């Protein structure tokens, strides 16, 4: 039996991962989460109490982290400040949680010999030109653009150093943009879906030609579990599902779903330092661990996600007005 500590398990991808573990494995899960604005207890509602428990705590707090890491077989580390726009307004919590928090967990994993999987992002590699035939691989040099991606790059470097210098049994994954249920309405896809549900208009930063490589959060979860189970210590695996779309295309698909004209959106102030394109080559993960995504078709996954937001308005309505007010204050 695996005793798994999931940091950030009340957030978007962490909660999808916990649901995945309950559905697909026998693991017993402890969620460690500070319950920031990005978390929701409701994302874990209905899960069996004998399989999933929640500890409310901060990964920066060694006194909280240490005994938890000691009594688990595996740590899967999702907890982070995750939103680029927030990192531009105030980088400070990003350094604390993403860098100091990861350091705190690594020290505990070192003391107790606990297996550690670090969840990271493709943004550590910077961005690609629209016409670049290359995609990111595990060998791409680090070149982060925002305080968020720089803090995640820093955390990746810490993990590698703790593997090499202290023999911590760790792996790293860098994944592309996730979509799916339980994603906060500050993020691109849920923001636009919920705007349209409320008869408003999607908000596109700048010209909308920026490309993201979309993957369903459940496919991210299955990849993380494959790496945690069968990945080689010290190795990095890129996770992606060949889902490149530009922002205009995604908004057009959302509008079309609701029968609205595909040009019925507002163009708003662009993000400072806005990365142009991300694209993942996940060959290593597919060939070495035999992983493949269940949602091969982005359109089908997006339709499921739209239906989820239509059916779960009680889950997101509490955050919507405050989120939109904050965007409006910065011209977005
Ligand atoms: P999220 O913002 O939805 O959730 C983050 C969770 O971490 C929240 O529940 C929050 O309460 C918790 N948390 C924050 N600070 C904490 C602290 N100091 N102590 C304990 N808990 C804390 O983020 P997400 O989108 O689910 O991302 C999860 C992880 O996946 C992050 O590490 C992120 O960098 C990575 N990632 C995200 C994406 C994406 O598209 N969202 C893609 C690749 C990688
Ligand atoms: O690539 C992985 C990363 O994907 C993760 O590491 C991050 O945690 C996650 O937030 C995501 O980062 P992005 O910055 O790509 O995601 P976001 O949803 O903020 O924006 C996606 C794209 O949509 C980006 O080009 C900015 C644009 N955008 C965003 C919002 C919120 C808009 O055009 N309008 C919007 O209202």
């Amino acid at each position: 039996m695996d005793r798994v500590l999931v940091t950030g398990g009340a957030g978007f991808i962490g909660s999808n991962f916990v649901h995945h573990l309950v559905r697909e494995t026998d693991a017993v899960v402890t969620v460690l989460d500070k319950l920031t604005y990005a978390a929701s207890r409701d994302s874990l509602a209905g899960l069996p109490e004998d399989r999933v428990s929640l500890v409310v705590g901060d990964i920066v707090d060694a006194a909280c982290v240490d005994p938890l890491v000691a009594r688990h077989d595996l740590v899967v580390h999702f907890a982070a400040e995750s939103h680029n726009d927030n990192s531009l307004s105030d980088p400070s919590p990003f350094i604390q949680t993403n860098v100091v928090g990861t350091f705190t967990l690594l020290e505990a994993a070192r003391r107790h010999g606990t297996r550690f999987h670090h969840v990271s992002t493709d943004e550590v590699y910077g961005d690609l030109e629209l016409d670049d035939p290359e995609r990111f691989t595990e060998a791409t040099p680090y070149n982060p653009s925002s305080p968020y991606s720089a803090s995640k790059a820093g955390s990746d470097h810490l993990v590698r150093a703790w593997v090499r210098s202290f023999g911590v049994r760790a792996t790293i994954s860098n994944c592309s943009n996730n979509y799916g249920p339980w994603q906060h309405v500050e993020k691109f896809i849920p923001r636009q879906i919920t705007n349209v549900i409320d008869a408003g208009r999607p908000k596109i930063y700048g010209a909308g030609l920026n490309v993201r490589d979309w993957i369903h959060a459940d496919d991210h979860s299955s990849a993380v579990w494959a790496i945690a189970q069968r990945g080689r210590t010290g190795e990095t695996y890129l996770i992606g599902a060949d889902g490149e779309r530009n922002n205009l295309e995604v908004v057009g698909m959302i509008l079309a779903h609701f029968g609205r004209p595909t040009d019925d959106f507002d163009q708003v102030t662009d993000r400072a330092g806005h990365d142009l394109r991300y694209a993942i080559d996940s060959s290593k993960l597919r060939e070495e661990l035999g992983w493949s995504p269940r949602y091969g078709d982005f359109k089908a996954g997006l339709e499921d996600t739209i239906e989820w937001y239509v059916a779960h308005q009680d889950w997101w309505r509490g955050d919507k007005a405050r989120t939109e007010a904050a965007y409006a204050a910065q011209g977005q």
Side-chain angles (χ1 to χ4, degrees), residues 6-16 31-40 55-61 65 77-83 86 93 96-98 101-102 105 118-123 148 151-152 155 173-179 182-184 186-187 213-215 217 220 239 315:
V6 179
T7 74
F12 163 46
I13 307 173
S15 60
N16 273 278
V31 169
L32 169 59
D33 200 297
K34 189 178 170 183
L35 298 183
T36 69
Y37 79 95
S40 171
V55 174
V56 179
D58 191 331
I59 57 166
V60 169
D61 177 3
V65 161
H77 175 35
F78 290 95
E81 287 292 337
S82 69
H83 194 38
N86 294 345
Q96 279 305 309
T97 290
N98 300 1
T102 302
L105 286 159
H118 178 60
V119 177
S120 192
T121 170
D122 60 357
E123 294 193 14
Y148 161 68
S151 69
K152 292 296 291 188
S155 68
S173 54
N174 297 83
C175 187
S176 58
N177 284 64
N178 285 222
Y179 68 96
W182 298 296
Q183 187 170 30
H184 194 278
E186 70 186 352
K187 301 297 198 304
D213 190 351
W214 294 101
I215 180 173
H220 188 181
I239 305 173
W315 183 86

Side-chain angles (χ1 to χ4, degrees), residues 125-145:
Y125 301 115
D127 60 354
L128 298 161
E129 295 298 327
L130 294 180
D131 60 357
D132 191 333
E134 298 299 317
R135 299 187 290 172
F136 299 140
T137 72
E138 289 78 4
T140 304
Y142 274 42
N143 187 26
S145 312

Side-chain angles (χ1 to χ4, degrees), residues 146-258:
S146 72
Y148 161 68
S149 47
S151 69
K152 292 296 291 188
S155 68
D156 293 7
H157 291 318
L158 292 179
V159 176
R160 289 199 184 91
W162 261 242
V163 170
R164 176 158 173 168
S165 299
F166 303 126
V168 168
R169 293 180 299 130
T171 41
I172 299 175
S173 54
N174 297 83
C175 187
S176 58
N177 284 64
N178 285 222
Y179 68 96
W182 298 296
Q183 187 170 30
H184 194 278
V185 290
E186 70 186 352
K187 301 297 198 304
F188 178 59
I189 286 181
R191 183 181 186 202
Q192 315 314 345
I193 294 171
T194 54
N195 279 0
V196 177
I197 291 172
D198 281 347
R201 285 158 66 94
K203 309 289 182 194
I204 291 213
Y205 294 175
L209 298 177
N210 308 68
V211 171
R212 296 295 182 263
D213 190 351
W214 294 101
I215 180 173
H216 195 281
D218 196 50
D219 285 329
H220 188 181
S221 296
S222 65
V224 165
W225 187 243
I227 298 164
Q229 295 294 294
R230 307 194 301 281
R232 286 180 290 136
T233 297
E235 291 291 314
T236 293
Y237 297 86
L238 264 56
I239 305 173
D242 300 332
E244 283 188 70
R245 295 281 189 291
N246 75 31
N247 295 339
L248 290 175
E249 290 176 275
V250 175
V251 157
M253 290 165 80
I254 294 169
L255 285 163
H257 175 95
F258 289 96

